[in-house]
Amino acid sequence: MKLLLILLAAAAIGMANPPEPPEPSAASIEEEEELKTEEAVFGLELDEDMPPAVDPAAWADTTLLMGSTAWPEGRYTDLTDDDYREVADSLGIEIATIKAVVDIEAGKKHEGFWQPGKPLVNFDLSMYSRFAPRRGVSLKKLRKSNPVIFSAPNVRKYGSRQAGQYARLEAAYAVDSVSAIEGTFWGMFQIGGFNWRKCGTADIIEFVRLMSRSERDQLDLFAKFITNSGMLDDLRNKRWLAFARKYNGPKARQRGYHTRLAAAYKKYSKNNK
């Protein structure tokens, strides 16, 4: 069963005309040297012996495809002030700090889902191109057989950028599920799938399942990620550039990530007073 069909089935239960979020701000890697830097920054870990048969359909069949059955409480719900407060208190940071990150990664609407069961995704070709060959995928052959993977999201064909991103993810997933998931940035915090270990999940299946379940799950994954990746202290002490370089990559300064983060923090800090 293909990933896109699985998630589309879940989507039929929810929003008929969901809002189109802005394109996530995940970093794009262009050169080999920068890729090496990204490995150090993001703590990229590859398990060369991991079998390719990691199939989210195993959980989707029982968890997502529930027909007209009512969804369990909390599924796909928006984050509440209590959610932000609980996680911020547990991390020892301000709510405004978390909201500032969301503002940049998910946009001002602060939405973690495109449709019910379908979290925001950014299929990153540069990251996928790094992972796929290590899974035995020939990019040269793949470019000919699956051009959609290597093309920008086709809004005209698929109706929206997110639909186009899912088309790319689905095509890559059909070839090798692991590299497709690890080469994609997920949810309202745009966490790379390759960081599933640092998010504290048992395996890549659990990572996708939690990303697809609720915004609170996405927030909890973010909390574990920045804690396990050595970013929490920078965020707690508002060292915006230091955090930006670790979270967004070595080109964060050029992108102005740190200045936008500081400005967003200032805005939400005022709102919370």
Side-chain angles (χ1 to χ4, degrees):
M1 183 180 295
K2 297 294 188 291
L3 178 62
L4 183 58
L5 294 178
I6 294 169
L7 294 176
L8 280 174
I13 299 172
M15 299 176 288
N17 295 295
E20 175 63 18
E23 184 68 6
S25 65
S28 179
I29 302 170
E30 300 172 352
E31 300 177 352
E32 181 66 17
E33 276 305 307
E34 190 170 342
L35 278 168
K36 292 178 181 177
T37 303
E38 291 290 330
E39 290 189 10
V41 171
F42 289 107
L44 189 154
E45 301 174 27
L46 291 173
D47 187 346
E48 302 291 351
D49 298 322
M50 183 185 293
V54 178
D55 188 2
W59 56 263
D61 285 341
T62 57
T63 307
L64 292 181
L65 302 183
M66 299 174 64
S68 59
T69 305
W71 295 106
E73 183 179 355
R75 185 177 295 279
Y76 311 138
T77 54
D78 296 334
L79 283 175
T80 66
D81 288 339
D82 286 340
D83 289 325
Y84 277 112
R85 187 176 300 106
E86 287 175 10
V87 175
D89 288 347
S90 70
L91 294 174
I93 61 178
E94 298 176 50
I95 294 174
T97 306
I98 300 177
K99 288 186 175 181
V101 177
V102 178
D103 211 55
I104 296 175
E105 295 295 339
K108 299 185 185 304
K109 291 184 179 180
H110 288 202
E111 295 174 341
F113 288 86
W114 170 52
Q115 290 182 356
K118 301 182 75 172
L120 295 184
V121 297
N122 182 34
F123 179 81
D124 191 293
L125 181 59
S126 58
M127 294 301 291
Y128 174 72
S129 297
R130 179 72 170 179
F131 292 118
R134 301 193 181 199
R135 304 289 306 169
V137 176
S138 170
L139 295 179
K140 184 177 181 180
K141 293 181 180 179
L142 191 62
R143 188 179 293 273
K144 294 179 179 179
S145 62
N146 291 274
V148 64
I149 296 174
F150 300 87
S151 304
N154 191 328
V155 177
R156 177 174 296 182
K157 180 176 180 179
Y158 297 105
S160 69
R161 293 190 66 84
Q162 277 296 293
Q165 288 286 32
Y166 267 94
R168 301 173 76 199
L169 172 59
E170 166 64 13
Y173 177 88
V175 176
D176 177 70
S177 59
V178 175
S179 57
I181 293 171
E182 291 192 321
T184 299
F185 290 84
W186 298 80
M188 66 196 311
F189 295 95
Q190 287 296 281
I191 299 174
F194 57 85
N195 277 314
W196 61 265
R197 295 179 183 85
K198 289 184 179 292
C199 290
T201 56
D203 50 45
I204 202 169
I205 299 175
E206 184 181 23
F207 174 82
V208 176
R209 180 177 63 82
L210 293 175
M211 278 291 180
S212 303
R213 190 169 70 173
S214 72
E215 289 185 357
R216 176 56 192 259
D217 284 300
Q218 293 180 11
L219 175 59
D220 289 336
L221 290 172
F222 168 75
K224 293 176 182 176
F225 174 55
I226 62 172
T227 299
N228 294 334
S229 299
M231 302 182 199
L232 179 56
D233 195 51
D234 291 326
L235 206 55
R236 181 183 291 139
N237 291 288
K238 303 175 185 63
R239 294 194 290 263
W240 305 124
L241 182 56
F243 173 80
R245 283 173 169 164
K246 295 174 182 176
Y247 197 85
N248 190 249
K251 289 189 176 180
R253 181 192 286 273
Q254 295 172 242
R255 300 185 183 103
Y257 193 99
H258 60 305
T259 56
R260 289 185 288 134
L261 190 62
Y265 165 77
K266 185 177 181 179
K267 176 179 66 175
Y268 291 111
S269 182
K270 289 181 179 179
N271 292 342
N272 288 332
K273 288 182 179 180

